[in-house]
Amino acid sequence: MREGDNAYQIIWLTRRLFRALAQKSDESLQDLGISAAERAVMEFLHPDERLSVPEIAERYQVSRQHVQVMVNSLLDAGLLATHKNPRHKRSPLIALTERGKGMFRTIKTRDSKAVRKLFSKVAEKDRQITRKTLESLLEELNSHDH
Amino acid sequence: MREGDNAYQIIWLTRRLFRALAQKSDESLQDLGISAAERAVMEFLHPDERLSVPEIAERYQVSRQHVQVMVNSLLDAGLLATHKNPRHKRSPLIALTERGKGMFRTIKTRDSKAVRKLFSKVAEKDRQITRKTLESLLEELNSHDH
DNA sequence: CATTATTGACAACTCTATTGTCAATAGTTA
DNA sequence: TAACTATTGACAATAGAGTTGTCAATAATG
């Protein structure tokens, strides 16, 4: 546990941070009646993106079926709407409705505040390095690992 | 999605990275027949820690009941064993068995290789900054947020 | 000694996500 | 154009990590 190793710690911290963030996020989303996974889907469509379910799945790097469930739920809630897809007749494009946009703006505003507070003690330069490091790790993981 | 904002991106990357790491970790653990959550518990006991279930839960920041399930499963598998707890008669101390230690060494060896490869393109200085940044975020989240 | 707290065991549930399957219909190619 | 293949949406079953709640037993403590 008490490894001095930075690399190892970063991995461990990622897990911890993920859980802590997820919890926070859930709290914040609760009164809006949407889940973190639904929120993530909305993010891909914000503010005016039009994507089919399989396209969202690809970007989200999550199974098509999972995205479908989230999208259907958001359609039911009136936060998303379907539009004709010129590229595929059976697979409509999904976009935020006005209500959806409104809600996502609310979410974003809340998030911004929380994020600002969260990062208040981290220098901009360190943020950038951290971001690049994490990007590099993700890239390495996705680069056809063996 | 395409925020230039480093802070926001770090949060997003944390999620993505977590999922990618979890997947990798699961793969690596599969043939050993233990789950990531069980592995995490083992980590707290490695190499010679003796902790009660509630103590592990506290360090792991996870519910006592959840840890109990993981510990019971590892006890059944012969990877952990109980020892008398001088501080509490009904709550034994849990420790790795020899088999448990052996298995965890295997896990660690594998991990070390993977981690080394994963971080091969990240400078030591950047690792440190990243680690400190993530630590700072976690601290901020746990610091009796409001 | 009486009271309160802790523990282990069990259950029910949530959330995110996966895999598999199916029928319908779209693209594509011979 | 007809035949074939791929994609899509819908549905189901499953898994993993974790939570909350409850209960009885037993510890610790005033």
Side-chain angles (χ1 to χ4, degrees):
Chain A
M1 208 49 216
R2 267 299 94 213
E3 311 295 312
D5 187 10
N6 285 320
Y8 203 78
Q9 281 299 304
I10 287 168
I11 288 172
W12 188 255
L13 284 162
T14 299
R15 290 165 186 271
R16 296 297 269 272
L17 199 51
F18 172 81
R19 289 217 305 115
L21 286 170
Q23 201 176 321
K24 260 271 191 277
S25 176
D26 284 349
E27 274 172 35
S28 163
L29 255 33
Q30 203 162 14
D31 64 311
L32 300 174
I34 66 165
S35 71
E38 285 164 349
R39 187 224 125 106
V41 166
M42 290 178 84
E43 183 130 35
F44 284 95
L45 301 172
H46 175 80
D48 286 304
E49 212 69 45
R50 292 188 170 197
L51 299 171
S52 70
V53 166
E55 282 168 345
I56 299 168
E58 198 182 354
R59 300 201 187 185
Y60 195 1
Q61 303 236 65
V62 144
S63 74
R64 181 173 68 76
Q65 290 89 333
H66 178 55
V67 173
Q68 188 77 55
V69 171
M70 298 302 122
V71 165
N72 288 351
S73 161
L74 290 166
L75 284 169
D76 287 352
L79 299 167
L80 300 183
T82 59
H83 300 273
K84 282 203 194 78
N85 184 354
R87 296 190 296 288
H88 198 298
K89 282 199 180 157
R90 248 186 75 218
S91 193
L93 295 178
I94 313 295
L96 291 167
T97 59
E98 281 312 312
R99 265 193 63 218
K101 286 183 202 180
M103 179 174 286
F104 199 75
R105 272 194 295 272
T106 303
I107 292 171
K108 272 288 223 181
T109 306
R110 289 186 187 179
D111 280 8
S112 294
K113 264 186 209 136
V115 169
R116 216 172 303 132
K117 185 164 174 292
L118 185 58
F119 281 81
S120 57
K121 285 173 190 156
V122 180
E124 182 56 31
K125 216 175 77 187
D126 290 354
R127 296 182 195 189
Q128 199 185 324
I129 290 169
T130 300
R131 174 198 179 158
K132 287 192 174 162
T133 301
L134 299 186
E135 273 171 355
S136 158
L137 298 181
L138 198 55
E139 207 177 297
E140 188 72 31
L141 275 171
N142 291 335
S143 76
H144 243 170
D145 36 76
H146 55 232
Chain B
M1 209 48 216
R2 269 294 96 215
E3 311 294 313
D5 187 11
N6 285 319
Y8 203 78
Q9 282 299 304
I10 288 168
I11 288 172
W12 188 256
L13 285 163
T14 299
R15 291 166 186 271
R16 295 296 268 274
L17 199 51
F18 171 81
R19 289 216 305 115
L21 286 170
Q23 201 177 321
K24 260 271 192 279
S25 176
D26 284 349
E27 272 172 37
S28 163
L29 254 33
Q30 202 162 13
D31 64 310
L32 300 174
I34 67 164
S35 70
E38 285 165 349
R39 187 223 125 109
V41 166
M42 290 178 84
E43 182 129 35
F44 284 95
L45 300 172
H46 174 81
D48 286 302
E49 211 70 43
R50 292 190 171 197
L51 299 170
S52 70
V53 166
E55 281 167 345
I56 299 169
E58 198 182 356
R59 299 201 187 185
Y60 195 4
Q61 303 235 65
V62 142
S63 74
R64 181 173 66 76
Q65 290 89 334
H66 178 55
V67 173
Q68 188 77 53
V69 171
M70 299 302 121
V71 165
N72 288 352
S73 160
L74 290 167
L75 285 170
D76 287 351
L79 299 167
L80 300 183
T82 59
H83 300 272
K84 281 205 196 76
N85 185 353
R87 296 190 297 287
H88 197 298
K89 282 198 182 158
R90 248 187 75 219
S91 192
L93 295 178
I94 313 293
L96 290 168
T97 59
E98 281 311 314
R99 264 193 65 217
K101 285 183 203 180
M103 178 173 289
F104 200 75
R105 271 194 296 270
T106 303
I107 292 171
K108 272 289 223 181
T109 306
R110 289 185 188 182
D111 280 7
S112 294
K113 265 187 208 135
V115 169
R116 217 172 302 132
K117 183 163 176 290
L118 185 59
F119 280 79
S120 58
K121 286 172 189 155
V122 180
E124 183 57 30
K125 215 175 79 186
D126 290 355
R127 296 182 194 188
Q128 198 184 326
I129 290 169
T130 300
R131 174 197 180 160
K132 284 191 174 162
T133 301
L134 298 185
E135 272 172 356
S136 158
L137 297 181
L138 197 56
E139 207 176 295
E140 187 72 31
L141 276 171
N142 290 336
S143 75
H144 242 170
D145 37 76
H146 54 231

